[in-house]
Amino acid sequence: MATERGTWNYRDRFGDSFGRTYFRRFPPGVAGSVGIGTYLGEPTDAVDNDYRKAITAALNNGINMIDTAVNYRCQRSERVVGDVIDATAVSREEIVVATKGGFLPFDGDRPNDPGRYIREQYVEPEIVDPETLVRGSHSIEAGVIDHLLDRSLSNLDVEAIDCYYVHNPETQLLDRDPEAVYDSLEATFELLERRRAAGDIGCYGLATWEAFRVEPGAEQYLSLPRLLDRAAQAAETVGVDDHGLQVLQLPFNVEMADAFRRATQPAPPDADEEGSVSVLEYAHAVGLHVVTSASIGQGALATSLPPAIAAELAGDTTAQRAINFARSAPGVTAALVGMASPAHVAENVAAGTFDPLGASAFDAIFE
């Protein structure tokens, strides 16, 4: 597992080669504010090899946060991450490993009949109750998450995962009553608190797409205060003092800036004023870390940014400026970027050699 000492040692090896606040506080110590994602790509040996080279280059050049999920590329992404962790000279204590569970994964490649595969591999062995499945492949029930967490530990070949996300919990709201979804999440939080107490995970979080970008009352909306209340109740039930819900992952980039621009959450506790605030503001006020996904729009923003915004951002390339937009947002800890080659790693991590925008300068972009 990552440790405070290990991650600080990693940071200290790079000295002053990065800009101001490139390394930021993240449980249990620090992480670079550019992380490597492993979502994109076909489930093939060739893509596996590309990811091995890219992740190795990332760890050697200042990126110590690796993000994956059990369903990414039919479990291949997790297995590649495990291969690299085993082979790299970088200590495991220096690497922040994050993964997710919620979507039932295929194994190695896509089956010809996905429905039959889910039935034979998950429903018939009673791993998942078909009544809890949404869209045929998504479940956040505690027993399912317990199974997927064990599979991730095996795929990654690690003793512990530093941050474990419940993956797109708002998917459940497409077919289920909101109160039932909150109840399921509380039960899953209890499970994750027990796994945290056992040393299997360092902390947990919610990796979302729509949940915090949409207005209250929208179909896939989730209330962050209610989720934190459920996490606190789960911790109390398990008998631990402080809950482990410490991280939010959500999409954020120049074209998807809802997490900053849209007031979707109530005013945080002890706020000076009433009214609604953005999820970034609420998360910052209550001490949650925010990790951004789609930081360069899955590659779409690597070559084109609105000129007025690009002019305000530091970077030698368009991709670097897009990354610096995401990691400059107030309340953001790290920006995830998919990287499929050492050349992509070199360009993207170099974004961290530039200082991020200050909060007031970032605000000015939207005036």
Side-chain angles (χ1 to χ4, degrees):
M1 183 180 287
T3 65
E4 182 176 17
R5 186 173 194 176
T7 56
W8 276 101
N9 284 344
Y10 183 87
R11 180 254 180 229
D12 290 345
R13 282 211 305 279
F14 292 93
D16 297 325
S17 46
F18 288 102
R20 173 176 53 84
T21 74
Y22 172 72
F23 285 97
R24 301 175 184 177
R25 295 274 184 180
F26 189 84
V30 293
S33 54
V34 178
I36 184 167
T38 60
Y39 170 64
L40 296 177
E42 293 298 311
T44 64
D45 292 345
V47 175
D48 287 353
N49 290 332
D50 289 342
Y51 267 124
R52 285 190 188 93
K53 295 173 186 176
I55 297 168
T56 299
L59 291 174
N60 289 336
N61 288 282
I63 295 174
N64 70 327
M65 179 184 286
I66 308 174
D67 183 87
T68 189
V70 70
N71 64 303
Y72 286 177
R73 302 179 50 255
C74 306
Q75 301 186 65
R76 284 174 175 259
S77 286
E78 281 191 333
R79 290 165 183 165
V80 167
V81 171
D83 290 346
V84 174
I85 290 173
D86 182 62
T88 183
V90 179
S91 167
R92 171 67 184 94
E93 295 183 352
E94 300 176 333
I95 305 168
V96 175
V97 179
T99 192
K100 316 174 187 75
F103 292 98
L104 302 182
F106 304 133
D107 193 347
D109 57 16
R110 297 186 185 93
N112 293 328
D113 187 341
R116 179 179 179 181
Y117 181 90
I118 295 294
R119 184 175 64 256
E120 293 179 347
Q121 297 297 317
Y122 296 101
V123 175
E124 291 176 0
E126 299 184 346
I127 294 168
V128 61
D129 180 347
E131 294 298 318
T132 71
L133 273 180
V134 171
R135 303 299 162 98
S137 64
H138 187 269
S139 177
I140 57 169
E141 299 306 294
V144 176
I145 296 301
D146 199 31
H147 171 84
L148 295 179
L149 174 51
D150 282 338
R151 188 171 293 194
S152 290
L153 286 166
S154 177
N155 286 342
L156 292 162
D157 194 22
V158 295
E159 293 184 357
I161 292 162
D162 301 297
C163 180
Y164 189 82
Y165 294 105
V166 181
H167 199 177
N168 287 16
E170 69 271 28
T171 302
Q172 292 287 303
L173 294 166
L174 296 172
D175 287 348
R176 299 178 66 201
D177 176 76
E179 199 61 31
V181 174
Y182 283 108
D183 288 345
S184 291
L185 282 168
E186 182 176 332
T188 293
F189 293 163
E190 287 184 25
L191 175 278
L192 293 173
E193 292 293 350
R194 297 184 195 282
R195 298 300 296 259
R196 187 166 72 105
D200 297 323
I201 61 173
C203 67
Y204 59 95
L206 300 165
T208 69
W209 191 257
E210 296 285 344
F212 303 123
R213 298 174 49 230
V214 296
E215 299 285 355
E219 184 178 34
Q220 291 187 271
Y221 173 82
L222 287 172
S223 162
L224 187 49
R226 290 191 67 186
L227 292 165
L228 290 168
D229 286 345
R230 294 299 187 118
Q233 182 58 53
E236 182 178 339
T237 300
V238 173
V240 296
D241 292 335
D242 298 310
H243 66 75
L245 177 53
Q246 297 184 44
V247 190
L248 300 182
Q249 186 180 127
L250 46 79
F252 187 79
N253 59 51
V254 170
E255 295 182 346
M256 299 174 68
D258 304 297
F260 177 81
R261 300 183 66 175
R262 182 172 287 178
T264 65
Q265 304 296 318
D270 302 322
D272 293 333
E273 299 180 4
E274 296 182 357
S276 299
V277 299
S278 71
V279 68
L280 285 182
E281 184 174 345
Y282 193 98
H284 178 70
V286 299
L288 290 175
H289 296 273
V290 175
V291 175
T292 68
S293 58
S295 303
I296 59 172
Q298 298 179 352
L301 299 173
T303 56
S304 178
L305 287 174
I309 294 178
E312 300 296 325
L313 298 165
D316 290 331
T317 69
T318 302
Q320 289 172 1
R321 288 188 284 272
I323 292 167
N324 283 334
F325 174 87
R327 71 185 193 93
S328 292
V332 167
T333 297
L336 297 175
V337 187
M339 307 182 206
S341 71
H344 287 159
V345 171
E347 178 180 7
N348 294 336
V349 73
T353 64
F354 299 92
D355 289 343
L357 290 173
S360 58
F362 190 88
D363 289 346
I365 289 177
F366 294 98
E367 290 180 353

